Amino acid sequence: MPTLNVNGIDFYYELHGADNAPVVVLSNGILASTASWFNQTPVLKPHFRVLLYDCRGQGQSAHPPGPYTFEQHADDLAALLDRLRIQRAHVAGISYGGEISLTFALRYPARTLSLFAANVVSHVDSALATIIAAWRDAATRRDPDLFFNVTTPYNFSSAWIRANAAALALAHERYQRLDFPAVARLLTCFLDLNLTERLPEIKAPTCIVVGEKDMLKPRDYGQLIADAIQGAELHVLRDAGHTSFWERPAEFNSILLGFLKKHPK
């Protein structure tokens, strides 16, 4: 298991693709891990060096006591890149990972070749805060069944839920093993997100993807981000819910690869 000690804790990471290729970093959703990019890594690695990693509090990386902040997540990623001798990278992510990517682009503009963020927000309004507070309450109770029930309707479209009983059963099983105190710390970090006023500072080429049927982070959030960043692209994945990279992988990959190819190293 490849790990590096960065900022005092161990980070799990994977590198795929040629050593001399431009680097693209993929940051995970809050309940996900490096394994969640199974549809994207095979498509990207013939063209890019793909860096997958679990952020602090997530997956196979260390789960230190909190509180966590997005600035801390961005600093962790920068330090990981330093250890791997990577000066600049395309920075991409989905949901929580997309918000890490937004923060990184603001905090390390000279190291950001391009920015790709899917199903993402730049602040948390009252409606979203209510949903996430319920998730955090379930995590605090360390009740995996309750946590599964309150998160699933927001993470996936209704059509995907109806068609993917087996995948949901695996997710339910995985939730039994979650480190719920760490999940609660990540959720608390998310509730403090507030980048909207700083979005015009982002100068990197930017692509924003939203799911047409994302009930957790609806299109208005992505539209706001794309409107605030000069020259940003906005793509809407038809019929996709919050986990757009699973629900519409072919379309997602086409947008991601096409965008990266337009902005080579």
Side-chain angles (χ1 to χ4, degrees):
M1 181 174 69
T3 62
L4 282 174
N5 190 274
V6 172
N7 291 340
I9 67 171
D10 290 335
F11 282 85
Y12 174 81
Y13 74 96
E14 301 173 18
L15 280 169
H16 303 268
D19 290 348
N20 61 348
V23 175
V24 56
V25 180
L26 301 179
S27 294
N28 314 323
I30 196 166
L31 301 176
S33 68
T34 57
S36 66
W37 296 99
F38 63 92
N39 284 315
Q40 286 69 50
T41 303
V43 173
L44 293 174
K45 69 180 184 180
H47 311 277
F48 297 91
R49 192 180 188 200
V50 182
L51 172 60
L52 309 177
Y53 75 105
D54 294 331
C55 72
R56 70 169 59 217
Q58 186 182 73
Q60 297 181 76
S61 290
H63 299 182
Y68 305 158
T69 68
F70 278 102
E71 291 77 15
Q72 184 182 49
H73 286 315
D75 291 347
D76 287 340
L77 175 54
L80 179 61
L81 292 173
D82 286 342
R83 290 293 308 275
L84 295 170
R85 299 182 180 180
I86 297 169
Q87 294 301 313
R88 304 178 73 200
H90 299 281
V91 180
I94 189 165
S95 194
Y96 193 88
E99 287 123 24
I100 293 175
S101 301
L102 286 170
T103 308
F104 186 93
L106 284 165
R107 205 161 174 85
Y108 297 96
R111 305 190 70 171
T112 305
L113 289 171
S114 70
L115 169 64
F116 179 96
N119 303 86
V120 71
V121 303
S122 55
H123 69 276
V124 180
D125 70 10
S126 56
L128 179 54
T130 300
I131 295 167
I132 299 303
W135 290 21
R136 186 173 61 179
D137 287 347
T140 301
R141 295 182 188 185
R142 305 187 187 190
D143 185 333
D145 295 330
L146 176 62
F147 192 78
F148 177 83
N149 289 335
V150 299
T151 58
T152 296
Y154 290 102
N155 278 329
F156 308 100
S157 67
S158 297
W160 196 90
I161 290 172
R162 289 193 295 269
N164 289 275
L168 287 171
L170 290 174
H172 185 267
E173 180 183 345
R174 182 171 61 84
Y175 282 17
Q176 309 297 314
R177 302 187 297 273
L178 283 175
D179 178 352
F180 282 108
V183 171
R185 290 192 288 271
L186 292 168
L187 291 167
T188 298
C189 174
F190 174 75
L191 286 169
D192 289 334
L193 179 72
N194 189 9
L195 301 174
T196 298
E197 291 187 0
R198 294 194 60 200
L199 290 174
E201 298 174 31
I202 295 176
K203 305 304 180 186
T206 299
C207 180
I208 304 298
V209 172
V210 300
E212 181 188 35
K213 296 187 175 179
D214 188 343
M215 294 194 301
L216 183 66
K217 300 178 181 178
R219 175 176 177 165
D220 287 352
Y221 278 114
Q223 186 73 60
L224 182 153
I225 296 169
D227 289 345
I229 300 174
Q230 185 174 4
E233 301 179 13
L234 177 69
H235 298 268
V236 181
L237 289 180
R238 185 176 179 181
D239 294 329
H242 186 60
T243 52
S244 60
F245 69 154
W246 285 358
E247 296 194 25
R248 288 288 183 270
E251 296 96 320
F252 186 99
N253 292 349
S254 178
I255 295 167
L256 174 55
L257 185 58
F259 172 73
L260 294 174
K261 286 285 193 177
K262 285 191 294 186
H263 303 285
K265 184 175 181 182

